[in-house]
Amino acid sequence: MARPGAACPPPARRVMVAARALLFWALVYSYCGVCACIAGLRLLWSIGRRPGETFRWVVRENPPACLTDPSLGTHCYVRIKDSGLRFHYVAAGERGKPLMLLLHGFPEFWYSWRHQLREFKSEYRVVALDLRGYGETDAPSHKENYKLDCLITDIKDILESLGYNKCVLIGHDWGGMIAWLVAICYPEMVTKLIVVNFPHPSVFTEYILRHPSQLIKSGYYFFFQMPWFPEFMFTVNDFKVLKSLFTSQSTGIGRKGCRLTAEDIEAYLYIFSQPGALTGPINHYRNIFSCLPLQHHEVIMPTLLLWGERDAFMEVEMAEITRIYVKNHFRLTILSEASHWLQQDQPDIVNKLIWTFLKEESTRKRE
């Protein structure tokens, strides 16, 4: 008889691992089915109420003027040698200044960083990237091309292609997930890490399995596992879902926030209404469960985590738990009246908090 606490024999351990994997994937596909049924019912309801509008999709051929505003920076492209993909980015600030690299979330693109492009160009070369599959960046057709290791390598290769070996890395939402992982895998490339409304990946994967409320809020992760149907649902009623994400009372920017203008909304509609423009972004999520659960990893550079407490997709409790994985200076700031879209919602406050973090780290180094 094995002693209490002794290691399980290999056959028993394999059975346990297999059983946990079976339960995990059963949960994933079961919840995927539930989310699909809910989406299907909403579609039928829309067809029943306004059949003519349900399948209306305006063709947007020309970008709104805000996307070519010269005050935001210069539109540039870089082709990565290993992958062969061409990435689009907008850059502000002089070449040669320290690099600040900005990674957007879903469903966003470089434009979500417009306030930061203007703010930080005085002291940084600020680069707001269109991630793989987004906007004008190339979008491989197969979902296997969107695995996390590919997305992490993209950032390393882009950094090198821009002529830098390190940067201040800032990520929001899904871009925050990538930023955490880049900081973990390539710590020598990240001088300071700033993440907006996304916890350490290990916190997220553990918390979501233990808290049904977060599981429900992350339902879109499961819904996105389906082929083509999620893309179709975004197009219903001329991208009503996309508009609602930024403007509705439940998920959008709050009444005290910096609301998106009609032109801002049109910028998002222009980008995501292009043929096939949603498949790449959603493919990011179609590989996530094959990479989970992640092992615990420590972050060793100074880290700032900013959080909008009224986030409809992420529970604020995860923000504080993140502290245990950062083995350096860690600052957490929670804004009580802010939404998930924090850097667009409260740009002045966010920019001030980032400046304070960057300056205090410089002061600490001199001391």
Side-chain angles (χ1 to χ4, degrees):
M1 180 179 295
R3 298 189 309 274
C8 296
R13 186 159 51 243
R14 285 197 295 269
V15 170
M16 290 175 61
V17 170
R20 290 182 63 183
L22 180 63
L23 288 172
F24 177 78
W25 286 107
L27 171 65
V28 169
Y29 286 113
S30 296
Y31 197 30
C32 175
V34 170
C35 294
C37 290
I38 293 172
L41 290 173
R42 288 177 176 170
L43 176 61
L44 292 174
W45 176 256
S46 178
I47 294 173
R49 292 183 63 197
R50 300 183 180 89
E53 293 185 15
T54 298
F55 301 106
R56 183 171 64 91
W57 178 355
V58 176
V59 177
R60 296 171 171 85
E61 297 181 352
N62 300 310
C66 61
L67 293 184
T68 55
D69 183 349
S71 72
L72 295 177
T74 305
H75 290 257
C76 307
Y77 301 86
V78 60
R79 188 172 297 278
I80 304 303
K81 291 182 180 180
D82 290 343
S83 67
L85 298 179
R86 189 184 76 157
F87 284 79
H88 169 254
Y89 64 92
V90 172
E94 297 176 7
R95 296 178 184 271
K97 289 183 176 180
L99 179 64
M100 176 182 285
L101 186 60
L102 309 173
L103 310 181
H104 62 79
F106 174 91
E108 298 174 289
F109 62 113
W110 70 266
Y111 187 70
S112 68
W113 297 109
R114 59 197 175 280
H115 303 292
Q116 288 68 45
L117 282 162
R118 291 190 180 103
E119 177 70 21
F120 294 100
K121 65 182 180 182
S122 60
E123 294 190 22
Y124 289 89
R125 174 69 169 173
V126 189
V127 170
L129 186 68
D130 274 345
L131 294 174
R132 177 184 291 223
Y134 281 83
E136 295 184 57
T137 290
D138 287 347
S141 57
H142 299 293
K143 71 175 186 178
E144 289 76 15
N145 295 121
Y146 296 86
K147 290 183 177 180
L148 283 175
D149 57 349
C150 296
L151 306 179
I152 297 166
T153 303
D154 282 346
I155 307 306
K156 178 185 76 71
D157 292 343
I158 287 167
L159 198 67
E160 294 173 348
S161 298
L162 294 176
Y164 288 85
N165 56 23
K166 58 185 178 181
C167 70
V168 172
L169 185 61
I170 306 181
H172 168 247
D173 183 67
W174 184 258
M177 161 79 90
I178 298 173
W180 281 113
L181 295 175
V182 170
I184 291 165
C185 297
Y186 301 104
E188 70 283 358
M189 288 189 160
V190 182
T191 57
K192 300 175 183 67
L193 176 66
I194 302 170
V195 179
V196 183
N197 279 77
F198 201 93
H200 187 285
S202 293
V203 174
F204 180 67
T205 55
E206 292 171 0
Y207 190 91
I208 194 174
L209 294 174
R210 296 177 181 176
H211 296 80
S213 55
Q214 181 59 53
L215 191 68
I216 293 171
K217 289 180 178 180
S218 300
Y220 61 98
Y221 277 66
F222 299 85
F223 178 54
F224 287 170
Q225 302 310 304
M226 299 185 65
W228 71 264
F229 190 47
E231 288 94 320
F232 171 74
M233 286 300 297
F234 266 93
T235 68
V236 168
N237 290 316
D238 192 31
F239 295 86
K240 181 180 179 180
V241 171
L242 183 63
K243 300 173 195 174
S244 295
L245 284 173
F246 295 106
T247 62
S248 73
Q249 189 172 10
S250 59
T251 65
I253 293 174
R255 58 186 174 86
K256 293 188 177 181
C258 185
R259 292 181 180 274
L260 272 61
T261 66
E263 191 176 37
D264 292 335
I265 295 294
E266 192 58 31
Y268 281 92
L269 294 174
Y270 170 77
I271 290 296
F272 290 104
S273 65
Q274 302 305 311
L278 282 161
T279 299
I282 293 176
N283 274 342
H284 280 247
Y285 292 87
R286 288 180 171 137
N287 288 284
I288 185 66
F289 292 111
S290 63
C291 304
L292 297 179
L294 298 172
Q295 295 180 353
H296 296 177
H297 292 290
E298 295 180 349
V299 174
I300 62 172
M301 68 284 302
T303 301
L304 171 65
L305 179 58
L306 301 176
W307 203 281
E309 192 173 25
R310 296 173 64 87
D311 191 327
F313 308 102
M314 294 282 172
E315 295 192 349
V316 69
E317 288 77 11
M318 292 188 287
E320 183 60 41
I321 302 172
T322 291
R323 185 183 302 273
I324 65 176
Y325 292 102
V326 180
K327 305 306 177 183
N328 202 313
H329 174 61
F330 177 77
R331 179 179 290 275
L332 168 63
T333 301
I334 299 173
L335 303 182
S336 60
E337 295 296 327
S339 70
H340 176 76
W341 320 103
L342 188 55
Q343 79 273 23
Q344 300 185 78
D345 184 330
Q346 305 283 347
D348 293 340
I349 296 175
V350 167
N351 291 346
K352 183 178 179 180
L353 290 169
I354 292 175
W355 274 127
T356 300
F357 175 72
L358 297 174
K359 298 296 185 182
E360 74 181 3
E361 282 305 306
S362 300
T363 303
R364 183 178 289 108
K365 282 187 176 181
R366 287 197 299 268
E367 293 175 349

